[in-house]
Amino acid sequence: MTTPPEETHASSPVDTAENTRTGTHIASLKQAVLHNLYYVQGRIPALATRNDWYMAVAYTVRDHMLDRFIRSLKEMSNPQVKLVCYLSAEFLMGPHLGNNLLNLGITDRMRQALKELDLELDDLLAQEEEPGLGNGGLGRLAACYMDSLASLGVPAIGYGIRYEFGIFDQEISDGWQLEKTDKWLRLGNPWEICRPEIAYYVNFGGRTEQFYDEKGHFRVRWVPYRTVKGIAYDTPVSSYRGELADILRLWKSEAVESFDFQAFNVGDYYKAVNEKVISETVSKVLYPNDEPEIGKTLRLAQQYFFVTCSLQDMIRIHLMRGKSLETFHESFSVQLNDTHPSIAVAELMRLLLDEHMMEWDKAWNITQQTMAYTNHTLLPEALEKWSLPFFSRSLPRHMEIIYEINRRFIDEIRLKYPDDDERVARLSLIDEHGEKYVRMAHLASVGSHSINGVAALHSDLLTKTVLKDLYEFYPERFVNVTNGVTPRRWIALSNPGLTALITERIGDRWIKHFEDEISKIEPFAHDPAFRAEWQKIKHHNKNRLADLIQERTGIAADPGSMFDVQVKRIHEYKRQHLNVLHIITLYNRIKKNPSLAVVPRTFIFGGKAAPGYFMAKRIIKLIISVAEVVNNDSDVAGRLKVIFFPDFNVKNAHYIYPAADLSEQISTAGKEASGTGNMKFSMNGALTIGTLDGANVEIREEVGAENFFLFGFTAAEVDDLRNRGYNPRSYYESNPLLKEAIDQVRSGYFSRGDAELFKPLVENLLDHDPFMLLADYQSYIDCQDRVSLAYRDQESWVPMSILNVARMGKFSSDRSIREYCEHIWKIKPAKEK
Ligand code: F58
């Protein structure tokens, strides 16, 4: 097997015998690592720790990226170039080292250079602490998009927050989740460049004052209660084997020096220290919830903090380019990743009006033409809103601006729909039913020229549910851009075996041109030699994961069994507990007939629960409780194994997706906006069992209905059932197998006789079941039986697996980014080779 050819030419214009810093020959790499070990880490090999070596290698790789990075920065100062600014409160980048080596095309040579130093590259890759600056899908999507922006040659800046503590590390103790602080910066972060000279002031609280300036113009000044400073930290994001690197620019909050001095001068040292602590708190920690937090002061502060720093930075760049602010929208496209950065609408207005003295209409036109909003949810409770009194106290000037935006918006509504007060109330930026709230999705929608959902079904449902009124008012603004994931990280990096096999048959263009090329493996679905290789690789990946599972949980997983995997945040709508009901059903079959021929399965779960989400934490406990019984039952005899893989994150995901046979995408139809894990599994040859939800619909269309295991109610049927009056108990009463499984959970069968432990879960299912597990149960079980039957016949399973990969072209994030370029940002990606 061959690996994709790596670059053989020197990547730096100064790659000469004298310059070993960025040379790409093995000897140069070795020398550069030793130099960085000595000059950056201050260590000699004999005393170096594993982390010292990791840092030395990381700095070496970063040095290689800097040529591109600096060239790109220069390109960004070109006034002709439109910059895409991706504003996101989360970027879940995953470990950098392996990915950067892959992009630069120097993995093999670095491996060899390290061998000569008696080091293993894999050990150093394991040493890297991943930056977990995101909760899940939304943050990881931002990371895939940065990868594609760079690889397509689109000049872009990802703007976000440099949280000191990312998403918590999950530990499991006695079957319960424990949250441990993620101290990811403890040993240093070699990938970022601190830019103390790129810093902006950020105000909070206080009041506004109206005045007339010396020219007699009416103006408003914001007299804040507190001011902090945002400092830029840049991480280069390089393209795959290309010439460009984009920037991830994350803001860290710091105290404004003058505060310290003022307090210090009057002798109040403790007050000064306190101010510093408060200022640094803003970027201290990522909120670990996958739904918005109502009334969390710090969260709004974080949002405003990174948004104003980013907009001030764009204005600086624009003026530095020698351009007038009247053309701002021609130079910048700002994509709002959900409503978390939506305060950008009011903030850009404030900057243009108050700081740059532009008049309202002009400023509004520029704002609308600059902004575009992506929605990521259909759950009404997940739509962000801020209590109005709290919002006014935190951002008084923005409140005034929002009132004015709303006043003008309502005038427009009344013009189009005279005498429709109810519509006005529904559309208003302010929710006035009971306690007043600012509706952030409305602010984002009114202030943007484009509003998009993240899968075809999601975009369609948006116009019928949570954004219905906005759609009726602005139909032309709504578009769909189905999510995608990067084939670089999610195949080329994490599945080297598959990468080598595909490359051997169709060359390596598929890594950069996935959409056009990957279908070329389709004919090999009928090639026995190819199939045998394919199976061998899957088996190898399963072995690799089994070793990791053994290390992390002490449980032995049989690589000969079907690996049936559900990894994602733990949430009731994602229905991990439906999966558990299937496991219990299989277990009961075996108990009734121990000699039954069953297809051996290893059920692998992974995912974090929000720390305050009671039900989600109980679902983890349920999985682990069922595991204890099933894994140790002699009748089962190892044919079923249940594993909860702790601390699911990007690094662990590299081992999990490539090892899966079956991908569980079983959310209640109409609830999952898109899903992106579903794409990663399929790209690695897992078959999907899924509902018609999110991007599953499009995955099934692409891979073919015959290569996808479909079950369950459709979104329309779910709706219908609810409207007719859903009674979960009737399903329980009429289905003996379902009743048996639920009764066991309730009675304490899986919890050592404790009948209280799962009572809240069971009662919720029987009395409410908001996500309709009971309604979909039988359809799911029947479908799982079809899966087992199909898996038994590897002669037909393997070609289905091959076809899944071959037909995944659409789900490359390169395709998504091309669509954003064409339909939303109106730019052309750079010409590609
Ligand atoms: C996810 N949202 C969607 N939100 O659930 C998923 O279907 C979709 O594929 C993905 O976005 C990308 O479009 C999501 O991950 C969050 O994690 C937010 C974090 C901050 C608080 C609100 C939820």
Side-chain angles (χ1 to χ4, degrees), residues 61 183 506 536 632 707 733 812 818:
V61 172
K183 299 187 182 141
I506 65 169
K536 229 165 74 192
N632 297 310
N707 301 308
E733 303 288 359
S812 164
R818 274 206 193 85

Side-chain angles (χ1 to χ4, degrees), residues 134 188 286 371 455 728:
L286 168 78
M371 305 287 167

Side-chain angles (χ1 to χ4, degrees), residues 260 263 268-278:
D260 298 6
D268 194 347
Y269 180 73
Y270 291 104
K271 180 162 181 285
V273 171
N274 197 33
E275 283 299 335
K276 189 166 155 57
V277 170
I278 291 172

Side-chain angles (χ1 to χ4, degrees), residues 636-648:
V636 176
R639 288 174 292 172
L640 306 181
K641 276 277 165 70
V642 183
I643 286 144
F644 188 87
F645 190 108
D647 204 33
F648 178 60

